[in-house]
Amino acid sequence: MNIGNGEFSYAQNSMLQEIVIRKVVPIVKHTIKSMANLDHDTIFGKCFNIADLGCSSGTNTLLVARIIMDIVHDVCKQNNLEAPQFQVCLNDLYNNDFDAIFKLLPDFYAKLRKDKGENFGPCFVSAVPGSFYGRLFLDQSLHLVHSSYSLHWLSQVPEGLDNNKANIYIARTSPQNVLEAYQKQFYSDFTKFLKLRSKELVFGGRMVLVFHGRSIVDPTSGESCSLYGLLAQSLIDLLKEGLVRESDIDSFNLPYYSPCEDEVRNAIRIEGSFLLDTMNVFQVNWDPYDADYTDSNDLKEDSHIHGKNTARVLRAVTEPLLTSHFGNSIIDPLFNKYEKHLTEHLAKKKTRHFNVQISLTKK
């Protein structure tokens, strides 16, 4: 993610992620209520340990923590239980902008005391840097794991993509071995994620996860690959202008995969550490500021706004990856091209992200 608080930073362009977080609140609430029904003493003892994996930075990070604590507090009141202390562990990669999060903590703590009273909690927030495809926490130390919009990012670019020419992700022109390589990498990563979290959660501990998915089994379907297909086309535009080399485009592939529902279910079943409590799907517009969910076409001036907003969202997420491979000089012209392609696309069809949300219980 783009760090800092600048025009193209993640902190300034994470409305999409906030919408997704808020849409998952009912599942979080249901999950915590079911935990209260299971075992008051174990789950709501002296301390309730929360891990937010792939927390990134900005106000969304502490929003997740606040939502969870509010729900736990309400559930305790409903069950005549004393509210526990809270340990909130924020996880992301080592280069995440944790400093920006820490600067928000004084106001966060002050608002908690104002809203809940001096006797609430207390709450302790800490950072746990590292990949969630590795161990992060002590055995049986967590009660609730939350992860929003992170698990579609793979631990690495799949191997064997040399023949995925002119593409940066799965596309209709991708050879069959490219599709299989992405599917294999997702299964390996997601299985590893489940195994590791099963060690770190208490018995009966829960996970609430939400990530990009797809509604169609075919991974080359437009809904799951068109967003990055248009970015690939923007790189081809720069190639024609002599701003990038063909070999650089051919050697760049995203460490990303949007699974279908059956792929998620099968991985959970085969790994075997968790019960799948719920699986729901929902969609949000590419442009998070577009609240119109009808299928009517936009006027061209509207589609330009949607194209610009969508390009900014993707830039905040992908710019570090692109810069490390192509260099910084192409970023502005690349996203100018991308904005135009997105505008043309959205003028014809309102397109949405397909999201999968699941709640799991450790066996």
Side-chain angles (χ1 to χ4, degrees):
M1 308 296 179
N2 276 345
I3 65 173
N5 203 42
E7 180 182 1
F8 300 112
S9 66
Y10 176 82
Q12 294 295 322
N13 295 279
S14 53
M15 174 62 76
L16 173 66
Q17 290 81 358
E18 179 181 344
I19 291 171
V20 170
I21 287 167
R22 293 190 183 279
K23 280 186 173 290
V24 178
V25 168
I27 285 246
V28 178
K29 188 175 296 185
H30 176 77
T31 297
I32 293 173
K33 284 184 176 180
S34 64
M35 293 172 76
N37 295 333
L38 177 67
D39 187 341
H40 289 166
D41 294 334
T42 301
I43 302 300
F44 296 113
K46 292 185 177 180
C47 186
F48 189 76
N49 293 319
I50 305 160
D52 187 21
L53 307 184
C55 67
S56 195
S57 62
T59 55
N60 285 347
T61 301
L62 296 176
L63 172 65
V64 170
R66 180 59 193 264
I67 287 171
I68 292 172
M69 286 189 290
D70 284 347
I71 294 171
V72 171
H73 185 247
D74 291 343
V75 168
C76 287
K77 286 177 63 178
Q78 293 166 11
N79 289 274
N80 295 316
L81 299 172
E82 184 178 347
Q85 299 178 54
F86 294 93
Q87 174 70 53
V88 179
C89 302
L90 305 177
N91 158 259
D92 214 307
L93 298 175
Y94 290 101
N95 60 352
N96 186 54
D97 195 355
F98 287 108
D99 285 347
I101 299 172
F102 297 152
K103 291 174 182 177
L104 297 173
L105 285 177
D107 288 342
F108 176 75
Y109 289 138
K111 193 169 190 319
L112 266 181
R113 289 192 296 270
K114 179 181 177 182
D115 294 346
K116 301 294 186 182
E118 293 292 337
N119 294 326
F120 176 79
C123 167
F124 304 94
V125 177
S126 62
V128 183
S131 170
F132 51 54
Y133 294 121
R135 276 297 298 268
L136 294 168
F137 306 99
L138 297 172
D139 287 353
Q140 300 182 49
S141 60
L142 300 175
H143 297 102
L144 178 65
V145 169
H146 175 277
S147 181
S148 181
Y149 258 38
S150 297
L151 279 165
H152 44 249
W153 293 108
L154 303 173
S155 65
Q156 64 179 48
V157 175
E159 297 179 355
L161 304 184
D162 296 342
N163 59 342
N164 197 29
K165 304 295 185 182
N167 298 314
I168 63 173
Y169 179 54
I170 295 171
R172 293 202 178 277
T173 58
S174 295
Q176 182 64 29
N177 71 286
V178 171
L179 279 58
E180 293 170 356
Y182 269 103
Q183 291 167 332
K184 181 180 177 182
Q185 188 66 51
F186 165 76
Y187 179 79
S188 173
D189 284 345
F190 191 54
T191 299
K192 183 182 295 184
F193 178 89
L194 295 173
K195 284 184 183 296
L196 296 171
R197 302 296 83 78
S198 71
K199 296 179 184 295
E200 297 164 350
L201 280 158
V202 301
F203 174 77
R206 306 297 176 95
M207 291 202 293
V208 176
L209 314 174
V210 58
F211 43 85
H212 282 168
R214 66 181 193 274
S215 63
I216 302 172
V217 173
D218 180 8
T220 67
S221 62
E223 69 169 21
S224 62
C225 60
S226 57
L227 191 68
Y228 291 116
L230 295 173
L231 185 58
Q233 183 57 57
S234 304
L235 284 165
I236 298 297
D237 292 344
L238 297 188
L239 170 64
K240 294 175 181 178
E241 296 178 7
L243 298 178
V244 297
R245 294 180 298 184
E246 185 175 10
S247 59
D248 286 341
I249 297 177
D250 290 342
S251 61
F252 180 76
N253 290 280
L254 288 167
Y256 166 92
Y257 186 70
S258 55
C260 68
E261 295 170 72
D262 283 346
E263 287 176 305
V264 176
R265 284 195 183 92
N266 290 338
I268 294 168
R269 176 180 54 82
I270 294 170
E271 192 280 325
S273 298
F274 290 89
L275 296 172
L276 176 59
D277 300 319
T278 58
M279 174 181 283
N280 296 322
V281 299
F282 64 92
Q283 298 184 64
V284 294
N285 287 333
W286 277 5
D287 175 9
Y289 297 96
D290 178 10
D292 179 8
Y293 283 86
T294 66
D295 288 322
S296 59
N297 290 337
D298 289 310
L299 297 174
K300 285 195 173 182
E301 54 266 31
D302 292 331
S303 63
H304 172 71
I305 294 170
H306 300 327
K308 181 177 181 179
N309 290 339
T310 305
R312 289 170 68 98
V313 170
L314 265 290
R315 178 169 179 168
V317 172
T318 61
E319 183 172 346
L321 284 170
L322 293 162
T323 300
S324 66
H325 188 84
F326 295 100
N328 187 61
S329 63
I330 72 150
I331 297 301
D332 285 340
L334 173 63
F335 281 94
N336 287 338
K337 301 283 187 184
Y338 191 41
E339 181 182 320
K340 292 177 181 177
H341 285 298
L342 288 167
T343 296
E344 292 171 1
H345 175 90
L346 291 170
K348 300 173 185 175
K349 181 181 180 181
K350 188 184 289 287
T351 314
R352 302 181 179 97
H353 298 288
F354 185 86
N355 303 292
V356 177
Q357 58 178 3
I358 59 176
S359 174
L360 302 166
T361 299
K362 178 184 171 180
K363 292 180 179 179

